[in-house]
Amino acid sequence: MDLDELRRRALRIHDLYDELNLQESGRVWTREEFVLGFMGDVGDLAKQVLVQEGARSVRPDSQAALEHELADCLWSVLILAHRYGIDLESAFVRTMGELEKTISARLDP
């Protein structure tokens, strides 16, 4: 699945959440609420990393939980990019290019 397919799938889930939120609370999430949700996802991801590294008790489904949290975080990033009108693919390519130049310039020749 490429980035466009991931984005389309993420937007479908976003739209379903909008429908559900409208039905349950009469409104959809704001961009600020999406950021807060993302922060929660990152916190959940951090907990799963601690499980993987042995700093928290391991559960039988720990690998699946880590996969789930990584997917949640990716979903949030895709949705935030959409909600802010960011071309994530271009931004990623540009940012990685800048980082590569910066890091390479700091490495010993």
Side-chain angles (χ1 to χ4, degrees):
M1 191 176 278
D2 66 16
L3 186 59
D4 282 334
E5 291 171 302
L6 291 172
R7 185 179 4 226
R8 282 192 296 276
R9 187 76 188 269
L11 289 173
R12 173 71 183 130
I13 300 304
H14 170 273
D15 292 346
L16 288 171
Y17 269 127
D18 276 356
E19 286 181 44
L20 181 63
N21 288 329
L22 280 171
Q23 178 180 310
E24 292 181 346
S25 64
R27 66 183 199 80
V28 298
W29 276 23
T30 64
R31 294 187 301 189
E32 295 88 349
E33 288 169 312
F34 271 103
V35 168
L36 291 174
F38 178 48
M39 290 173 63
D41 291 340
V42 171
D44 292 341
L45 174 60
K47 291 174 190 172
Q48 292 308 315
V49 168
L50 291 174
V51 168
Q52 293 293 316
E53 298 304 319
R56 291 184 74 142
S57 60
V58 177
R59 290 178 233 126
D61 65 343
S62 62
Q63 183 67 24
L66 177 61
E67 291 172 3
H68 176 91
E69 296 308 332
L70 283 166
D72 276 351
C73 287
L74 178 58
W75 180 82
S76 291
V77 168
L78 291 167
I79 294 306
L80 286 166
H82 169 75
R83 298 283 301 257
Y84 281 94
I86 304 294
D87 178 344
L88 195 54
E89 187 171 359
S90 295
F92 183 85
V93 169
R94 183 178 56 256
T95 301
M96 292 304 108
E98 292 166 358
L99 288 172
E100 185 174 24
K101 279 191 342 193
T102 301
I103 294 167
S104 294
R106 292 179 59 190
L107 290 172
D108 291 331

Short mmCIF file of all heavy atoms in Angstrom, two decimals, residues 16-60:
data_model
loop_
_atom_site.label_atom_id
_atom_site.label_comp_id
_atom_site.label_asym_id
_atom_site.label_seq_id
_atom_site.Cartn_x
_atom_site.Cartn_y
_atom_site.Cartn_z
N LEU A 16 -15.77 8.31 8.98
CA LEU A 16 -16.61 7.49 9.84
C LEU A 16 -16.64 8.03 11.27
O LEU A 16 -17.70 8.07 11.90
CB LEU A 16 -16.12 6.03 9.84
CG LEU A 16 -16.37 5.25 8.55
CD1 LEU A 16 -15.65 3.90 8.60
CD2 LEU A 16 -17.87 5.05 8.32
N TYR A 17 -15.48 8.46 11.76
CA TYR A 17 -15.44 9.08 13.09
C TYR A 17 -16.30 10.35 13.12
O TYR A 17 -17.00 10.61 14.10
CB TYR A 17 -14.01 9.42 13.51
CG TYR A 17 -13.32 8.33 14.28
CD1 TYR A 17 -12.07 7.87 13.86
CD2 TYR A 17 -13.86 7.79 15.44
CE1 TYR A 17 -11.41 6.87 14.57
CE2 TYR A 17 -13.21 6.80 16.15
CZ TYR A 17 -11.98 6.35 15.72
OH TYR A 17 -11.32 5.37 16.41
N ASP A 18 -16.24 11.15 12.06
CA ASP A 18 -17.08 12.35 12.00
C ASP A 18 -18.55 11.98 12.10
O ASP A 18 -19.31 12.61 12.84
CB ASP A 18 -16.82 13.14 10.71
CG ASP A 18 -15.63 14.07 10.81
OD1 ASP A 18 -15.02 14.17 11.90
OD2 ASP A 18 -15.31 14.70 9.78
N GLU A 19 -18.97 10.96 11.35
CA GLU A 19 -20.36 10.51 11.41
C GLU A 19 -20.73 10.06 12.82
O GLU A 19 -21.79 10.43 13.34
CB GLU A 19 -20.59 9.35 10.44
CG GLU A 19 -20.65 9.73 8.99
CD GLU A 19 -20.91 8.51 8.11
OE1 GLU A 19 -21.79 7.69 8.47
OE2 GLU A 19 -20.22 8.38 7.07
N LEU A 20 -19.86 9.27 13.43
CA LEU A 20 -20.11 8.76 14.77
C LEU A 20 -20.18 9.91 15.78
O LEU A 20 -21.09 9.95 16.63
CB LEU A 20 -19.02 7.76 15.17
CG LEU A 20 -19.14 7.12 16.54
CD1 LEU A 20 -20.42 6.29 16.64
CD2 LEU A 20 -17.92 6.28 16.84
N ASN A 21 -19.23 10.83 15.70
CA ASN A 21 -19.22 11.97 16.63
C ASN A 21 -20.45 12.85 16.45
O ASN A 21 -21.02 13.33 17.44
CB ASN A 21 -17.94 12.79 16.47
CG ASN A 21 -16.73 12.06 17.04
OD1 ASN A 21 -16.85 11.29 17.98
ND2 ASN A 21 -15.58 12.30 16.46
N LEU A 22 -20.88 13.07 15.20
CA LEU A 22 -22.10 13.83 14.96
C LEU A 22 -23.30 13.14 15.59
O LEU A 22 -24.15 13.78 16.21
CB LEU A 22 -22.33 14.03 13.47
CG LEU A 22 -21.52 15.14 12.81
CD1 LEU A 22 -21.68 15.08 11.29
CD2 LEU A 22 -21.96 16.50 13.34
N GLN A 23 -23.36 11.84 15.42
CA GLN A 23 -24.47 11.06 15.96
C GLN A 23 -24.46 11.08 17.49
O GLN A 23 -25.51 11.22 18.12
CB GLN A 23 -24.36 9.62 15.46
CG GLN A 23 -25.43 8.69 15.97
CD GLN A 23 -25.24 7.29 15.41
OE1 GLN A 23 -25.07 7.11 14.21
NE2 GLN A 23 -25.24 6.30 16.29
N GLU A 24 -23.28 10.94 18.08
CA GLU A 24 -23.19 10.81 19.54
C GLU A 24 -23.13 12.14 20.28
O GLU A 24 -23.63 12.24 21.39
CB GLU A 24 -21.99 9.94 19.92
CG GLU A 24 -22.17 8.49 19.50
CD GLU A 24 -21.00 7.61 19.91
OE1 GLU A 24 -19.92 8.14 20.28
OE2 GLU A 24 -21.18 6.38 19.85
N SER A 25 -22.49 13.16 19.67
CA SER A 25 -22.32 14.41 20.41
C SER A 25 -22.76 15.65 19.63
O SER A 25 -22.67 16.76 20.15
CB SER A 25 -20.86 14.58 20.83
OG SER A 25 -20.02 14.69 19.69
N GLY A 26 -23.20 15.45 18.39
CA GLY A 26 -23.70 16.57 17.61
C GLY A 26 -22.63 17.46 17.01
O GLY A 26 -22.93 18.53 16.51
N ARG A 27 -21.37 17.01 17.06
CA ARG A 27 -20.29 17.80 16.48
C ARG A 27 -19.11 16.89 16.14
O ARG A 27 -19.02 15.77 16.61
CB ARG A 27 -19.82 18.91 17.43
CG ARG A 27 -19.16 18.41 18.69
CD ARG A 27 -18.79 19.56 19.62
NE ARG A 27 -17.80 19.18 20.60
CZ ARG A 27 -16.49 19.09 20.39
NH1 ARG A 27 -15.97 19.33 19.22
NH2 ARG A 27 -15.67 18.76 21.37
N VAL A 28 -18.22 17.42 15.31
CA VAL A 28 -17.01 16.68 14.94
C VAL A 28 -15.82 17.27 15.70
O VAL A 28 -15.89 18.37 16.23
CB VAL A 28 -16.75 16.72 13.41
CG1 VAL A 28 -17.90 16.06 12.66
CG2 VAL A 28 -16.53 18.14 12.93
N TRP A 29 -14.73 16.50 15.72
CA TRP A 29 -13.52 16.96 16.41
C TRP A 29 -12.89 18.13 15.66
O TRP A 29 -12.87 18.17 14.43
CB TRP A 29 -12.50 15.84 16.47
CG TRP A 29 -12.69 14.89 17.61
CD1 TRP A 29 -13.84 14.65 18.30
CD2 TRP A 29 -11.68 14.06 18.18
NE1 TRP A 29 -13.61 13.70 19.25
CE2 TRP A 29 -12.30 13.32 19.21
CE3 TRP A 29 -10.35 13.85 17.91
CZ2 TRP A 29 -11.60 12.39 19.97
CZ3 TRP A 29 -9.65 12.93 18.67
CH2 TRP A 29 -10.28 12.21 19.69
N THR A 30 -12.34 19.06 16.43
CA THR A 30 -11.56 20.17 15.87
C THR A 30 -10.12 19.68 15.61
O THR A 30 -9.73 18.60 16.07
CB THR A 30 -11.51 21.35 16.86
OG1 THR A 30 -10.79 20.92 18.03
CG2 THR A 30 -12.91 21.82 17.23
N ARG A 31 -9.36 20.52 14.94
CA ARG A 31 -7.95 20.18 14.73
C ARG A 31 -7.21 20.08 16.06
O ARG A 31 -6.36 19.20 16.24
CB ARG A 31 -7.28 21.21 13.82
CG ARG A 31 -7.85 21.17 12.40
CD ARG A 31 -7.12 22.03 11.42
NE ARG A 31 -7.11 23.44 11.80
CZ ARG A 31 -6.68 24.41 11.00
NH1 ARG A 31 -6.22 24.13 9.79
NH2 ARG A 31 -6.68 25.66 11.40
N GLU A 32 -7.57 20.94 16.99
CA GLU A 32 -6.94 20.90 18.31
C GLU A 32 -7.22 19.56 19.01
O GLU A 32 -6.34 18.99 19.65
CB GLU A 32 -7.43 22.05 19.19
CG GLU A 32 -7.03 23.43 18.69
CD GLU A 32 -8.02 24.04 17.70
OE1 GLU A 32 -8.93 23.32 17.21
OE2 GLU A 32 -7.89 25.24 17.41
N GLU A 33 -8.44 19.07 18.87
CA GLU A 33 -8.79 17.79 19.49
C GLU A 33 -8.05 16.63 18.82
O GLU A 33 -7.67 15.67 19.50
CB GLU A 33 -10.31 17.58 19.45
CG GLU A 33 -11.04 18.49 20.41
CD GLU A 33 -12.53 18.50 20.22
OE1 GLU A 33 -12.99 18.64 19.06
OE2 GLU A 33 -13.25 18.38 21.23
N PHE A 34 -7.83 16.75 17.51
CA PHE A 34 -7.02 15.73 16.83
C PHE A 34 -5.60 15.71 17.36
O PHE A 34 -5.00 14.65 17.55
CB PHE A 34 -7.02 15.92 15.31
CG PHE A 34 -8.15 15.21 14.63
CD1 PHE A 34 -9.25 15.90 14.20
CD2 PHE A 34 -8.11 13.84 14.43
CE1 PHE A 34 -10.31 15.25 13.59
CE2 PHE A 34 -9.15 13.17 13.82
CZ PHE A 34 -10.26 13.88 13.40
N VAL A 35 -5.04 16.89 17.61
CA VAL A 35 -3.68 16.95 18.16
C VAL A 35 -3.65 16.32 19.55
O VAL A 35 -2.73 15.56 19.88
CB VAL A 35 -3.16 18.41 18.21
CG1 VAL A 35 -1.89 18.52 19.02
CG2 VAL A 35 -2.92 18.92 16.80
N LEU A 36 -4.65 16.61 20.37
CA LEU A 36 -4.70 16.00 21.69
C LEU A 36 -4.86 14.48 21.60
O LEU A 36 -4.24 13.74 22.37
CB LEU A 36 -5.85 16.60 22.51
CG LEU A 36 -5.65 18.06 22.93
CD1 LEU A 36 -6.92 18.59 23.60
CD2 LEU A 36 -4.45 18.21 23.83
N GLY A 37 -5.66 14.02 20.66
CA GLY A 37 -5.79 12.58 20.43
C GLY A 37 -4.47 11.95 20.02
O GLY A 37 -4.10 10.87 20.47
N PHE A 38 -3.74 12.66 19.16
CA PHE A 38 -2.42 12.20 18.72
C PHE A 38 -1.47 12.12 19.91
O PHE A 38 -0.71 11.14 20.05
CB PHE A 38 -1.88 13.14 17.64
CG PHE A 38 -0.51 12.78 17.14
CD1 PHE A 38 -0.17 11.50 16.78
CD2 PHE A 38 0.45 13.77 17.00
CE1 PHE A 38 1.09 11.18 16.31
CE2 PHE A 38 1.71 13.48 16.53
CZ PHE A 38 2.04 12.17 16.19
N MET A 39 -1.52 13.11 20.78
CA MET A 39 -0.66 13.08 21.97
C MET A 39 -0.97 11.85 22.83
O MET A 39 -0.06 11.20 23.35
CB MET A 39 -0.82 14.36 22.77
CG MET A 39 -0.23 15.57 22.06
SD MET A 39 -0.59 17.13 22.89
CE MET A 39 0.25 16.88 24.45
N GLY A 40 -2.23 11.52 22.94
CA GLY A 40 -2.62 10.30 23.66
C GLY A 40 -2.09 9.06 22.98
O GLY A 40 -1.60 8.13 23.64
N ASP A 41 -2.17 9.04 21.63
CA ASP A 41 -1.63 7.91 20.87
C ASP A 41 -0.13 7.76 21.08
O ASP A 41 0.39 6.65 21.24
CB ASP A 41 -1.91 8.07 19.37
CG ASP A 41 -3.38 7.94 19.01
OD1 ASP A 41 -4.14 7.35 19.81
OD2 ASP A 41 -3.77 8.42 17.93
N VAL A 42 0.59 8.88 21.10
CA VAL A 42 2.04 8.84 21.32
C VAL A 42 2.34 8.32 22.72
O VAL A 42 3.26 7.53 22.92
CB VAL A 42 2.68 10.22 21.07
CG1 VAL A 42 4.14 10.25 21.51
CG2 VAL A 42 2.58 10.59 19.59
N GLY A 43 1.55 8.74 23.70
CA GLY A 43 1.72 8.21 25.05
C GLY A 43 1.50 6.71 25.11
O GLY A 43 2.26 5.98 25.75
N ASP A 44 0.46 6.23 24.42
CA ASP A 44 0.20 4.80 24.36
C ASP A 44 1.34 4.07 23.65
O ASP A 44 1.73 2.96 24.06
CB ASP A 44 -1.12 4.51 23.65
CG ASP A 44 -2.33 4.99 24.45
OD1 ASP A 44 -2.20 5.20 25.68
OD2 ASP A 44 -3.41 5.16 23.82
N LEU A 45 1.88 4.68 22.61
CA LEU A 45 3.02 4.09 21.91
C LEU A 45 4.22 3.99 22.84
O LEU A 45 4.91 2.96 22.88
CB LEU A 45 3.36 4.92 20.67
CG LEU A 45 4.62 4.51 19.91
CD1 LEU A 45 4.54 3.08 19.40
CD2 LEU A 45 4.88 5.48 18.76
N ALA A 46 4.48 5.04 23.60
CA ALA A 46 5.60 5.03 24.54
C ALA A 46 5.46 3.89 25.54
O ALA A 46 6.44 3.20 25.85
CB ALA A 46 5.70 6.37 25.26
N LYS A 47 4.26 3.65 26.02
CA LYS A 47 4.03 2.54 26.95
C LYS A 47 4.35 1.20 26.30
O LYS A 47 4.96 0.33 26.93
CB LYS A 47 2.59 2.55 27.45
CG LYS A 47 2.26 3.71 28.35
CD LYS A 47 0.78 3.74 28.67
CE LYS A 47 0.41 5.03 29.36
NZ LYS A 47 -1.05 5.16 29.51
N GLN A 48 3.96 1.05 25.03
CA GLN A 48 4.22 -0.20 24.34
C GLN A 48 5.72 -0.40 24.07
O GLN A 48 6.22 -1.52 24.10
CB GLN A 48 3.41 -0.30 23.05
CG GLN A 48 1.93 -0.43 23.28
CD GLN A 48 1.59 -1.55 24.24
OE1 GLN A 48 2.12 -2.66 24.14
NE2 GLN A 48 0.70 -1.28 25.17
N VAL A 49 6.42 0.69 23.82
CA VAL A 49 7.88 0.59 23.66
C VAL A 49 8.51 0.14 24.97
O VAL A 49 9.41 -0.70 24.99
CB VAL A 49 8.47 1.93 23.16
CG1 VAL A 49 9.99 1.94 23.26
CG2 VAL A 49 8.03 2.18 21.71
N LEU A 50 8.03 0.69 26.08
CA LEU A 50 8.54 0.26 27.39
C LEU A 50 8.29 -1.22 27.62
O LEU A 50 9.14 -1.92 28.19
CB LEU A 50 7.91 1.10 28.50
CG LEU A 50 8.33 2.56 28.55
CD1 LEU A 50 7.53 3.32 29.60
CD2 LEU A 50 9.82 2.71 28.80
N VAL A 51 7.14 -1.72 27.19
CA VAL A 51 6.86 -3.16 27.29
C VAL A 51 7.88 -3.94 26.46
O VAL A 51 8.47 -4.92 26.93
CB VAL A 51 5.42 -3.48 26.83
CG1 VAL A 51 5.23 -4.98 26.65
CG2 VAL A 51 4.40 -2.92 27.82
N GLN A 52 8.10 -3.49 25.23
CA GLN A 52 9.04 -4.18 24.34
C GLN A 52 10.45 -4.20 24.91
O GLN A 52 11.20 -5.15 24.71
CB GLN A 52 9.06 -3.53 22.95
CG GLN A 52 7.79 -3.67 22.16
CD GLN A 52 7.51 -5.10 21.77
OE1 GLN A 52 8.40 -5.82 21.34
NE2 GLN A 52 6.27 -5.52 21.93
N GLU A 53 10.82 -3.14 25.62
CA GLU A 53 12.17 -3.03 26.17
C GLU A 53 12.30 -3.62 27.57
O GLU A 53 13.37 -3.56 28.17
CB GLU A 53 12.61 -1.56 26.16
CG GLU A 53 12.69 -0.96 24.77
CD GLU A 53 13.59 -1.74 23.83
OE1 GLU A 53 14.68 -2.19 24.26
OE2 GLU A 53 13.20 -1.93 22.65
N GLY A 54 11.22 -4.19 28.09
CA GLY A 54 11.27 -4.86 29.38
C GLY A 54 11.11 -3.95 30.58
O GLY A 54 11.28 -4.39 31.72
N ALA A 55 10.80 -2.69 30.36
CA ALA A 55 10.62 -1.76 31.48
C ALA A 55 9.22 -1.82 32.07
O ALA A 55 8.97 -1.26 33.12
CB ALA A 55 10.94 -0.33 31.03
N ARG A 56 8.30 -2.46 31.36
CA ARG A 56 6.94 -2.69 31.84
C ARG A 56 6.63 -4.15 31.63
O ARG A 56 7.24 -4.81 30.78
CB ARG A 56 5.93 -1.83 31.06
CG ARG A 56 6.05 -0.35 31.35
CD ARG A 56 4.99 0.41 30.63
NE ARG A 56 3.70 0.18 31.28
CZ ARG A 56 2.78 1.12 31.42
NH1 ARG A 56 2.98 2.33 30.96
NH2 ARG A 56 1.65 0.87 32.01
N SER A 57 5.66 -4.65 32.37
CA SER A 57 5.33 -6.08 32.26
C SER A 57 4.83 -6.41 30.86
O SER A 57 4.06 -5.67 30.26
CB SER A 57 4.29 -6.47 33.30
OG SER A 57 3.10 -5.74 33.12
N VAL A 58 5.32 -7.52 30.36
CA VAL A 58 4.99 -7.96 29.01
C VAL A 58 3.69 -8.75 29.04
O VAL A 58 3.48 -9.60 29.89
CB VAL A 58 6.13 -8.85 28.43
CG1 VAL A 58 5.76 -9.38 27.06
CG2 VAL A 58 7.43 -8.08 28.39
N ARG A 59 2.83 -8.42 28.09
CA ARG A 59 1.59 -9.16 27.91
C ARG A 59 1.73 -10.03 26.67
O ARG A 59 2.49 -9.69 25.76
CB ARG A 59 0.42 -8.19 27.77
CG ARG A 59 0.12 -7.49 29.08
CD ARG A 59 -1.01 -6.48 28.91
NE ARG A 59 -0.49 -5.22 29.43
CZ ARG A 59 -0.47 -4.08 28.78
NH1 ARG A 59 -0.97 -3.99 27.58
NH2 ARG A 59 0.04 -3.00 29.33
N PRO A 60 0.97 -11.09 26.59
CA PRO A 60 1.09 -11.98 25.42
C PRO A 60 0.86 -11.27 24.08
O PRO A 60 1.42 -11.66 23.06
CB PRO A 60 0.02 -13.04 25.65
CG PRO A 60 -0.32 -12.97 27.09
CD PRO A 60 0.01 -11.58 27.56
#
